Amino acid sequence: MLEKLKFLYGEEKGKQAALEIEKLILGVKTKIKRDYREFWSEKDIFLITYADSFQEKNTLTLKTLSKILQLHLKGIISGVHILPFYPFSSDRGFSITDYQKVKKEFGTWDDIIYVANNYRLMADLVLNHVSVKHEWFQEFLRGNPKYENYFISFEEDKVPWEDLKKVIRSRSTPLVTPFETKNGKRQVWTTYSVGNFTDQVDLNYQNTEVLLEIIKVLLNLLVRGVRIFRLDAISSIWKELGTTCRNLPQTHTIIKLIRQILDELCPSALLVTEVNTSSLAENIKYLGDGKDEAQIFYNFPLAAVLLHTFYSGNSSRLNELIMNLPELKPGNSLFNILDIHDGYNTHLAKEYLTESEFTKVFKKVEQHGGKFSYRIGPDGKKIIKEMNITWWSAITDKEDPFDLKLRKFITSRAISMAIRGIPAVYYLSFVGGENDYDLLGKSKHARDINRTRLNHDLLTAKLADPTSKEAKVLDATVELIKKRKWFKAFHPNSRQEILELDDRVFVVLRGDGSDQVIALHNFSNDQVEVKYKDKGFILEPYGFLWKLINF
C-alpha cells in the first residue's frame, strides 16, 4: 500500500496517507463479515434497478423493492445492483449531496442491509464527482481553506485553455464552469453534465484528503453489506494537465489500492469498472494482472452490435465481437448488459460496426421511437454517444403479433445469457417496459425515456393477470433464467467457441465433455435448420435453442 501511495503523492504525503488508511481499516475490521464464496457461477444473474423504480403509496421505495424481489424474483436472481441511493440533486442519483446517508424517501441503511442479507448487493462508488450542493463544494464556495483543494479550479485569467483541449470526455457542455466564491470567480472542472446543465463538480485526487474521504465511503458501504462496487466514471478520476485525463497510471494505482483494501477486509468483494469511452483494450487494462485491479468490466459493445444483428438479420458482426473478446483469467469476467440506466453505448461498438451500419441502426432506433445523447468530438462536432430507448421498444416492431414480439425479446436476452460472462437484466425488461415519453417530456433528458417509475399496485394487478403483457414477459424471462442456471456450461468462465453455420443464426458452444451445450439463436423470420457434426437443429422464426450435446 505504501508504495502505491508514494507513487501518487510522494514520500512524505504517501507515508502519512498510509497511516491514515490503516487507521480507517482498523476501525471497521471487526464490523465486516468476511464472506468466503466463489466469485460467480452459472447461477448468478443480476437485477439492475433504481431504489425508487417501484412506487407504492405511503411506503418507502426500498421496502417496496424488497417486496417485489420477494414476490417475483426470489430464487431467480442472485444479485441486485441498486443504483445510487444517497441524497442527490439530479441525474437520478449520480449528483450526490451526502455519501453517508440513504435518501429519506427511499429508506434507511437498514433497508440496504436487508437487501444485502438476501442478495449479492452491488452499489455505485461514484468517485469522480459530487453535486454542487454537496457540503464539500458549498464550503469551497464559502472560502473554507480545508476544501480549497477538494476541487480543481482556476482563476479567470489563469485557465489553461490549450491543455484543456486535450481532455477526452463524453459530454457537450464546457469542461470548466464559472462559480462565484468568497475568493472571487473560479472556473471549476466539471467533466460531466446532466443534459445541458452542470450540476456535478470533479473531485481532486491529487489531494490526499479526497482519497481518504472516498475510502471512508467505501468502508461504510462494505460495513452495510455491499459486496460488489461499480466504479462509476472511473477512467477520468485523475487529472493531469497536458494529458487526455483518461486512463492515467494514477487511476490504475487508485484501483489497485481499493482492491488491496477489499482483499484485506473481505476477499469475496468485487470491483466492476465502468469505462464506456475507451477501447476494449483499455477496458481490459482495468483488470490489471488479473488479481490486482478490478475483477469485472462491462460488455458495452454487446447491445449496439446485437441491435444491428436483429435489424440486419445477419450474425456476422456479433460473431466477430464474441470471437474477439479476450480470453479472461478465472478471476475475471464480463458483465453482459443489454439495457441499463444509461443509453446503449456506441463508442466501443465502433470497433465492430462500420459508419454505414451504425447509420442504419440509428435510423431503426429512431423509427422505434428512440432518442440520442451526444458528445463533442475532437473536431468540435456533435457525435452520438448513446442510443436512448427501452430494450422492448428497440427489439420489437409495432406491427408484429405479440407472440413474435415476445420471441424476439426473449431470444435477444438469451444471447446475453448464453455467452461467456455474468448476465444482468434491467428492471424494465422484466416486464417489457416501453419508451416513457411522459417522463422524457418533463425532464427533456434523453436517458429518462428508459427510467420509468412503476406503480406497485398497478404492476401487481397486471402480474396477477396471466394474460397481461407484463405477466407473460416476466414469466418468459424467469423461465429463461431458470434454464440458464440448469446448464453448468454457462459458467461465466467456461469454454466458448463460435460456430459459423448460417448467417441468420448465432451459434455458440459452451463448456466441455458431458456438460457441453450448443446454443442457437435465429435472427430471421424464417424457420431455419442447421447441422453440426451430423446433428440437425430446427429453429422457429426468431427462436432459440439450448441443448446438451454429447458427440
Side-chain angles (χ1 to χ4, degrees):
M1 183 181 298
L2 178 58
E3 291 306 310
K4 297 179 182 70
L5 291 164
K6 283 162 65 174
F7 170 72
L8 292 171
Y9 302 113
E11 187 82 22
E12 291 306 313
K13 287 184 178 180
K15 285 181 180 179
Q16 185 58 41
L19 290 173
E20 293 297 325
I21 292 171
E22 287 298 336
K23 288 179 187 176
L24 293 174
I25 291 173
L26 284 173
V28 300
K29 215 162 196 177
T30 59
K31 302 176 183 178
I32 295 170
K33 180 181 177 182
R34 288 174 65 87
D35 304 324
Y36 294 95
R37 59 156 290 170
E38 62 179 334
F39 279 171
W40 44 71
S41 77
E42 67 279 2
K43 300 185 187 303
D44 281 307
I45 312 279
F46 278 76
L47 164 72
I48 303 171
T49 181
Y50 286 99
D52 64 342
S53 292
F54 304 96
Q55 307 269 308
E56 187 177 12
K57 190 175 181 180
N58 300 323
T59 306
L60 298 172
T61 59
L62 282 168
K63 293 189 184 300
T64 303
L65 172 61
S66 290
K67 189 184 297 186
I68 293 289
L69 292 172
Q70 175 70 20
L71 291 175
H72 302 293
L73 296 175
K74 185 177 181 181
I76 303 303
I77 60 166
S78 61
V80 182
H81 175 197
I82 304 180
L83 292 152
F85 43 73
Y86 319 96
F88 64 90
S89 57
S90 67
D91 200 17
R92 198 69 186 271
F94 285 89
S95 296
I96 295 169
T97 58
D98 191 338
Y99 285 106
Q100 298 300 326
K101 295 179 181 178
V102 175
K103 186 173 171 63
K104 63 182 182 180
E105 292 83 1
F106 296 167
T108 68
W109 283 113
D110 286 342
D111 296 307
I112 294 296
I113 292 168
Y114 181 82
V115 177
N117 286 339
N118 291 278
Y119 300 90
R120 298 184 80 181
L121 179 58
M122 182 191 299
D124 291 86
L125 193 60
V126 184
L127 302 95
N128 183 75
H129 49 264
V130 296
S131 165
V132 297
K133 294 182 174 61
H134 194 289
E135 179 188 6
W136 301 342
F137 191 65
Q138 290 300 306
E139 287 300 311
F140 166 82
L141 295 178
R142 295 184 191 110
N144 185 334
K146 175 183 176 181
Y147 296 95
E148 175 67 26
N149 290 318
Y150 268 51
F151 306 94
I152 305 166
S153 66
F154 309 97
E155 295 178 17
E156 280 283 278
D157 59 347
K158 295 182 180 178
V159 180
W161 295 111
E162 289 304 311
D163 283 331
L164 296 185
K165 290 178 182 177
K166 299 174 183 177
V167 176
I168 295 175
R169 57 198 291 264
S170 58
R171 293 295 189 275
S172 55
T173 50
L175 178 59
V176 291
T177 303
F179 288 91
E180 290 292 343
T181 79
K182 185 178 179 181
N183 299 319
K185 184 177 281 189
R186 293 288 185 273
Q187 293 281 352
V188 182
W189 201 298
T190 52
T191 298
Y192 295 96
S193 61
V194 185
N196 293 317
F197 76 97
T198 298
D199 188 46
Q200 298 164 343
V201 284
D202 289 41
L203 293 167
N204 178 18
Y205 282 88
Q206 295 198 24
N207 178 359
T208 58
E209 290 300 316
V210 168
L211 179 67
L212 293 173
E213 294 279 16
I214 294 301
I215 288 174
K216 291 176 188 175
V217 176
L218 172 77
L219 297 179
N220 180 52
L221 291 171
L222 200 58
V223 168
R224 309 290 186 172
V226 174
R227 290 297 177 265
I228 305 178
F229 299 85
R230 177 183 179 270
L231 302 180
D232 179 66
I234 186 65
S235 65
S236 60
I237 64 169
W238 190 276
K239 279 73 173 178
E240 197 76 43
L241 288 176
T243 74
T244 62
C245 298
R246 286 276 175 171
N247 309 311
L248 298 182
Q250 294 90 337
T251 295
H252 286 276
T253 300
I254 289 173
I255 298 173
K256 289 177 181 178
L257 181 66
I258 292 171
R259 173 70 182 269
Q260 186 175 346
I261 292 170
L262 292 180
D263 282 351
E264 179 177 345
L265 292 171
C266 186
S268 63
L270 304 174
L271 293 175
V272 183
T273 53
E274 186 240 0
V275 182
N276 59 17
T277 55
S278 298
S279 66
L280 183 60
E282 283 291 347
N283 269 265
I284 294 167
K285 290 179 183 178
Y286 282 92
L287 303 178
D289 65 8
K291 295 181 179 180
D292 66 345
E293 289 194 47
Q295 290 97 336
I296 305 168
F297 69 95
Y298 279 84
N299 189 352
F300 277 121
L302 179 61
V305 174
L306 192 50
L307 286 180
H308 167 266
T309 303
F310 265 87
Y311 294 159
S312 67
N314 188 301
S315 66
S316 59
R317 294 300 189 192
L318 182 59
N319 290 339
E320 182 183 347
L321 166 64
I322 305 305
M323 285 191 287
N324 283 307
L325 289 173
E327 189 77 26
L328 300 179
K329 296 180 180 179
N332 298 137
S333 183
L334 287 159
F335 200 53
N336 288 328
I337 53 166
L338 298 180
D339 43 348
I340 55 171
H341 64 288
D342 293 339
Y344 310 129
N345 179 274
T346 62
H347 184 84
L348 275 80
K350 288 178 180 176
E351 297 181 36
Y352 304 97
L353 300 181
T354 66
E355 187 174 339
S356 173
E357 288 168 333
F358 252 125
T359 298
K360 292 176 183 177
V361 170
F362 293 155
K363 185 176 180 180
K364 288 286 286 186
V365 166
E366 199 165 28
Q367 290 171 353
H368 286 226
K371 305 297 179 183
F372 304 99
S373 296
Y374 300 86
R375 66 182 179 89
I376 300 297
D379 58 359
K381 294 182 179 178
K382 287 173 69 174
I383 300 171
I384 293 176
K385 71 183 182 75
E386 63 183 33
M387 300 172 279
N388 304 112
I389 188 171
T390 72
W391 191 254
W392 178 273
S393 296
I395 213 73
T396 63
D397 290 289
K398 287 185 177 180
E399 61 272 17
D400 288 341
F402 178 78
D403 287 351
L404 182 57
K405 289 180 181 179
L406 184 59
R407 208 179 310 144
K408 287 182 177 180
F409 182 77
I410 293 299
T411 295
S412 71
R413 301 226 72 99
I415 291 162
S416 70
M417 296 188 190
I419 59 175
R420 192 154 45 194
I422 303 166
V425 181
Y426 190 54
Y427 74 101
L428 287 178
S429 271
F430 271 106
V431 292
E434 299 185 27
N435 295 335
D436 190 336
Y437 298 111
D438 289 339
L439 185 58
L440 175 64
K442 291 173 184 175
S443 70
K444 311 300 181 187
H445 187 28
R447 288 177 170 178
D448 283 343
I449 200 171
N450 190 31
R451 294 176 173 180
T452 305
R453 292 177 176 90
L454 299 172
N455 180 284
H456 171 269
D457 293 344
L458 291 176
L459 179 63
T460 299
K462 289 177 180 177
L463 293 178
D465 176 5
T467 66
S468 73
K469 168 195 169 185
E470 289 78 8
K472 289 180 178 180
V473 174
L474 177 62
D475 288 348
T477 305
V478 166
E479 285 305 310
L480 175 67
I481 292 171
K482 287 180 179 178
K483 185 175 291 189
R484 174 199 154 83
K485 292 164 75 171
W486 190 82
F487 291 109
K488 292 181 181 179
F490 287 145
H491 186 286
N493 294 110
S494 74
R495 178 178 171 271
Q496 174 171 281
E497 180 185 352
I498 300 302
L499 303 178
E500 298 178 277
L501 306 180
D502 187 306
D503 284 344
R504 297 167 294 176
V505 181
F506 172 72
V507 186
V508 58
L509 274 182
R510 296 295 310 280
D512 290 291
S514 60
D515 292 326
Q516 191 173 54
V517 170
I518 186 167
L520 308 99
H521 313 81
N522 183 6
F523 297 113
S524 76
N525 202 31
D526 305 322
Q527 178 175 292
V528 178
E529 181 177 2
V530 295
K531 287 189 176 182
Y532 177 63
K533 291 189 175 180
D534 296 326
K535 286 197 175 183
F537 303 92
I538 297 174
L539 295 167
E540 63 182 337
Y542 294 104
F544 80 98
L545 176 67
W546 294 345
K547 193 173 181 62
L548 282 171
I549 56 175
N550 190 6
F551 297 131

